[in-house]
Amino acid sequence: MTARELKAQLRNERLAARDSIAPEERISKSLAMAGHAGEAVAFAPGTIVSAFLPIRSEADMRPLMTRFAARGARLCVPAILDKQTIAFRELTEGLPLIETGFGTVGPDAGAAVLDPEIMLVPLSAFDARGHRIGYGAGYYDRAISRLREKGLHPKLIGIAFDCQEVAHVPDEPHDISLDAILTESGLRFFASWIG
C-alpha cells in the first residue's frame, strides 16, 4: 500500500470515528478544548489567528475563538477561492456570513484578507509526532507554503478529537508538521513557542 493509499484509508477510518460522536458530546468536547487552550496559547494583542467555522462533525472552534478575541486576537477564517487556493478573511462582529466553498461559511469578498500568525488547522488524523492527514484537497498545505514563501512562519495547532489519533501518519517530503495538537484531553506541544 502506498503512502497515499494508507493516508486515504486512515482518513476514512478517523473521519468515520469522528462522525460517530453524538452532537451533544461534540459540544462538550469543543468546550473542553476552549478551556484547555483559551489562556494557554501565548500571543500578543493584535496577533492574527485563523480558525474555522465547523462543518460536518468538526469540533466547534467558536468558544475558543471568543476567548482569543477577548484577549485581543484578530480572527480570520478560510474561504475557498478556487480548486487550489484558500484565503483567510477577517471575521468581525456583525459581518454577514456567506457560503465560501467546501460546505464552509465565512465573510464575503469585501472582508480584509489576512496572513495568519497562528493557525488552527482542521484535520482528519494525526499522530504523536505532530504529523497530520488533512481532508485530501491540500488547501492548508498550499496556504502554509505560500505564507512561508512570503517569509512568514505561522504556528500550527491541529484541531481534532482524541479518536482521530493514529499510531503513525505516513509523512511525505511535502507534508508540514504541526507545532501542537488540541483535543478534548488537552493541548499537546511539539514546539516550545506556545506555552
Side-chain angles (χ1 to χ4, degrees):
M1 186 178 293
T2 67
R4 186 181 184 93
E5 291 168 336
L6 182 54
K7 280 183 177 180
Q9 178 183 328
L10 291 171
R11 178 183 299 114
N12 292 337
E13 288 173 0
R14 294 303 88 209
L15 288 178
R18 188 183 78 183
D19 289 345
S20 72
I21 300 171
E24 57 277 3
E25 190 179 349
R26 277 199 302 273
I27 292 169
S28 65
K29 290 175 186 291
S30 297
L31 290 170
M33 290 179 183
H36 295 308
E39 301 300 323
V41 175
F43 61 83
T47 298
I48 300 169
V49 179
S50 72
F52 53 90
L53 300 173
I55 59 171
R56 300 185 299 270
S57 59
E58 287 177 340
D60 188 344
M61 290 292 94
R62 289 173 292 188
L64 181 56
M65 292 162 68
T66 299
R67 300 268 300 263
F68 283 176
R71 292 176 51 207
R74 288 181 71 189
L75 299 175
C76 55
V77 294
I80 296 176
L81 303 183
D82 58 45
K83 291 188 178 190
Q84 297 289 313
T85 314
I86 56 175
F88 295 92
R89 294 179 179 161
E90 187 166 18
L91 188 64
T92 54
E93 194 171 333
L95 202 65
L97 302 179
I98 62 163
E99 290 186 19
T100 52
F102 206 62
T104 64
V105 297
D108 67 19
V113 174
L114 304 177
D115 290 333
E117 298 165 84
I118 298 174
M119 299 175 74
L120 304 183
V121 182
L123 53 86
S124 58
F126 70 95
D127 67 19
R129 301 174 303 143
H131 291 275
R132 66 179 273 275
I133 299 173
Y135 293 150
Y139 284 111
Y140 272 86
D141 289 329
R142 285 189 297 276
I144 294 162
S145 292
R146 276 192 303 279
L147 289 166
R148 288 181 175 177
E149 286 166 12
K150 293 166 79 170
L152 305 172
H153 295 278
K155 309 305 186 211
L156 309 175
I157 303 173
I159 303 298
F161 295 116
D162 288 336
C163 68
Q164 293 174 253
E165 185 169 2
V166 297
H168 180 80
V169 167
D171 49 300
E172 300 175 86
H174 67 272
D175 288 334
I176 298 168
S177 60
L178 301 166
D179 295 301
I181 187 81
L182 175 62
T183 72
E184 69 270 26
S185 293
L187 182 61
R188 278 193 264 172
F189 308 102
F190 306 115
S192 61
W193 68 269
I194 295 176

